[in-house]
Amino acid sequence: MLADVHLQMRVGQMVAVVGPNGAGKSTLLKILAGLWRPTSGRVWIGERDIHRMPAKERARQIAYIPQQWLDSIPFTVTEFVRMGGYAHNASRQSVPLSELLTQLGLGEYADQPLMRLSGGERQRAILARCLYQGSEVVLLDEPIANLDLFYQLEVLVTLQELAKRGALVVIAIHHLELAMQYCPTCLLLHEHRVRGFGATADVMNETVLQEVFRIPVKRYQDPFNQTLRLSYEWEEYRT
Amino acid sequence: MTRDGWWFLALSLLFVAACLLELSLGPMRIPFAQIPGGIWRYLHGGRGINDVVLGDIRLPRLIVAALVGAGLAVTGTALQAIFRNPLADPAVIGVSSGGALGAVVAMGWSVTSRLPWVTPLAAFVSGIAAVELTYRLATRNRQTSVYSLLLAGVAINAFCSALISLILTLSPLQTMQQMLFWLMGGLDGSTWLHGWVIGAVVMLCSLLIGAYRKELDLLSIGEEQAHGVGVHLQRSKRAVLLLSALLVGVCVSYTGVIGFVGLMVPHVLRMLIGPSHRKLLPASALGGATLLLCADLVARMAFLPIELNVGIVTSALGAPFFLYLLNRQQGSHSGGRRGSHERT
């Protein structure tokens, strides 16, 4: 599925993994999470090969949130978030769970089943579980898919803060503009290979995007808030 | 007391009531008041008619029924979590039909009249073998997907059933009757020895499955989620499957195939006390024991003096329940579309 991936990521970075459907984003995250074994090659965290670490020890350092629509989970929010502590032995907890829930605006839902929450609140609960796990590396597969604008931005800002506090955050994301705004580093995958890795503004230049996504792209600065924007010209391309 | 506490209390009361009825009712009725005295006298060598009926027949039968019911329900709970499927039950991993095949072969081989322990042993060994085969068939590159496991289970079940039918057809009439009777599942002829063996295995396996309660919680959400927070997928799934196979294998080997207990009990209790396995596993054990005792009461009392096989009663209960579940699931899937049907 993937070939020739040689990367080094550091704590404190927030990395967007972008690329067309089928480029290998999810595959890469699954391999980084230790869920799938690469047929060749290794994944190191510090000095250690993550595929040779005991599962709990790995989870204390790497949290992985798959892309899954959790719409039939009967557990309450508290029970669900507490599961993040699985890899830790009972007594650890730097942040008390109730405080964490309040921080993320989930206080009033603490005893509600997860499946009664709206999509956005559910994503918050997943983030809460992720924070409760307290890992230094956080891998999320499409954390903002299916969310409305408010929750998209909320999730990204929360992750940004997590990276500022010294975590390595890696997210697979389809929304290129949001990736440019919130992720200083970007990994562009194309046809199972790395097409670019580095500062987002450099990686996502017009020529490369046009080639990878097969659509003419223009980049410009938003006069309203000075962020980088993309405009696509589907019609021109089709004719 | 919390809401869950009340449920546990209610379950315990039901269980005690079922026990008392199981001891009291039968071709010979023994009043409740005489039960403690009768058991006491039996344990101290008393051999009055009531003492013997209680101590030699009804008490071992009660113990076997309670343990088998508890064991089947605990296994069903665990398997439903692993398969993330409310319709999973001990039969899906092939242990029941594998065990049945072994037992039928042993009976056809006709050594069982001289060596009565051969049937349970054969059932146990072939039950475990069927699970192992199911598991191997579903495993590729050291990963076991639950879908492959379900499909492999269906295939193994079908294959075993075909072989059982073949053996039944080829057997002399008397052997065939014996086989059919065993296949329908029964608790008659339970002895203290059965009680001890099943008791040891059910207790041990249930406790060990209980040790995996957190893993079961996580697996019931999804394998990738469970992996993400540090569950060793392959190890937990394999351990729980093997424990389930051992537990059900031993039960099936003594009592024959008793279906649907492992399906119904966890499902009902999940609705009452929630999905957390810390509470669900003990509640299922209690509920399973109670259900099988009640089913056994019906089996013994419904057509007096003829005694039904308890498997017939559980299946008669289970089949409508299965349909109800199916209906509920379909309802939840098509709920959103109902409006458009009404308009047309």
Side-chain angles (χ1 to χ4, degrees), chain A residues 74-127:
Chain A
F75 290 97
T76 65
V77 172
T78 307
E79 286 171 328
F80 180 77
V81 173
R82 187 173 289 129
M83 289 178 191
Y86 171 80
H88 300 274
N89 299 327
S91 57
R92 173 216 90 112
Q93 269 338 308
S94 45
V95 200
L97 198 143
S98 57
E99 205 173 289
L100 184 64
L101 291 183
T102 322
Q103 262 175 36
L104 283 169
L106 288 165
E108 54 181 311
Y109 304 111
D111 295 318
Q112 292 239 5
L114 202 63
M115 58 190 185
R116 294 238 190 90
L117 269 54
S118 76
E121 290 152 0
R122 219 176 283 153
Q123 198 66 24
R124 269 190 198 157
I126 293 172
L127 279 183

Side-chain angles (χ1 to χ4, degrees), chain A residues 140-155:
Chain A
L140 301 101
D141 202 348
E142 308 241 8
I144 63 166
N146 300 315
L147 296 184
D148 67 27
L149 187 59
F150 177 84
Y151 285 111
Q152 286 183 357
L153 297 182
E154 188 190 48
V155 167

Side-chain angles (χ1 to χ4, degrees), chain B:
Chain B
M1 195 149 67
T2 61
R3 210 180 57 122
D4 295 339
W6 285 109
W7 282 120
F8 269 98
L9 184 68
L11 273 174
S12 309
L13 289 177
L14 269 176
F15 174 68
V16 172
C19 287
L20 285 175
L21 285 172
E22 174 87 359
L23 289 174
S24 162
L25 297 180
M28 202 184 87
R29 247 209 98 191
I30 300 173
F32 292 137
Q34 292 178 18
I35 290 174
I39 294 175
W40 178 260
R41 278 195 301 281
Y42 175 81
L43 291 176
H44 290 79
R47 286 296 174 266
I49 177 92
N50 272 8
D51 314 345
V52 172
V53 167
L54 277 174
D56 268 348
I57 302 175
R58 292 198 189 154
L59 199 54
R61 184 171 184 142
L62 177 145
I63 290 171
V64 170
L67 286 168
V68 170
L72 290 174
V74 164
T75 316
T77 312
L79 292 178
Q80 286 178 13
I82 288 192
F83 286 95
R84 300 191 61 217
N85 186 336
L87 302 185
D89 105 330
V92 294
I93 52 171
V95 64
S96 310
S97 58
L101 178 62
V104 167
V105 168
M107 288 179 211
W109 193 29
S110 77
V111 288
T112 51
S113 49
R114 275 180 294 124
L115 305 165
W117 50 266
V118 169
T119 310
L121 184 70
F124 174 69
V125 171
S126 63
I128 300 279
V131 175
E132 187 60 28
L133 186 60
T134 308
Y135 193 79
R136 289 273 166 89
L137 284 174
T139 306
R140 286 271 180 287
N141 302 327
R142 285 197 274 172
Q143 301 215 337
T144 315
S145 102
V146 292
Y147 298 106
S148 317
L149 209 50
L150 272 175
L151 287 178
V154 169
I156 295 287
N157 271 332
F159 185 67
C160 290
S161 305
L163 284 183
I164 290 173
S165 302
L166 181 70
I167 295 173
L168 281 174
T169 326
L170 297 178
S171 300
L173 196 61
Q174 201 193 346
T175 325
M176 190 181 97
Q177 269 178 347
Q178 190 197 350
M179 290 170 175
L180 274 176
F181 201 72
W182 188 90
L183 283 175
M184 285 187 283
L187 294 162
D188 53 300
S190 300
T191 65
W192 283 99
L193 178 68
H194 295 169
W196 286 118
V197 175
I198 296 178
V201 174
V202 168
M203 299 272 179
L204 185 71
C205 291
S206 300
L207 285 176
L208 288 174
I209 289 178
Y212 281 94
R213 59 192 181 278
K214 285 187 176 174
E215 284 80 357
L216 289 175
D217 281 348
L218 281 157
L219 284 169
S220 74
I221 288 182
E223 292 199 1
E224 296 190 348
Q225 299 274 348
H227 170 90
V229 299
V231 176
H232 194 303
L233 295 180
Q234 208 64 5
R235 192 181 297 160
S236 333
K237 277 192 290 184
R238 194 174 172 91
V240 174
L241 278 178
L242 272 180
L243 288 168
S244 305
L246 187 63
L247 197 163
V248 177
V250 169
C251 291
V252 166
S253 66
Y254 282 110
T255 63
V257 183
I258 297 176
F260 291 107
V261 175
L263 171 76
M264 286 187 281
V265 173
H267 207 86
V268 171
L269 289 174
R270 201 175 288 118
M271 289 195 270
L272 297 181
I273 65 162
S276 165
H277 287 83
R278 189 172 57 84
K279 291 174 286 183
L280 193 56
L281 286 170
S284 290
L286 211 48
T290 311
L291 179 68
L292 199 56
L293 281 175
C294 294
D296 189 44
L297 268 176
V298 175
R300 292 196 299 135
M301 302 304 292
F303 294 95
L304 263 179
I306 301 171
E307 193 175 289
L308 297 178
N309 289 66
V310 73
I312 300 178
V313 178
T314 57
S315 298
L317 275 173
F321 183 80
F322 202 89
L323 290 176
Y324 155 77
L325 274 189
L326 201 66
N327 200 20
R328 234 174 65 108
Q329 283 216 322
Q330 280 174 347
S332 69
H333 285 309
S334 62
R337 264 174 282 140
R338 204 162 285 157
S340 58
H341 285 304
E342 279 162 14
R343 247 175 279 134
T344 51

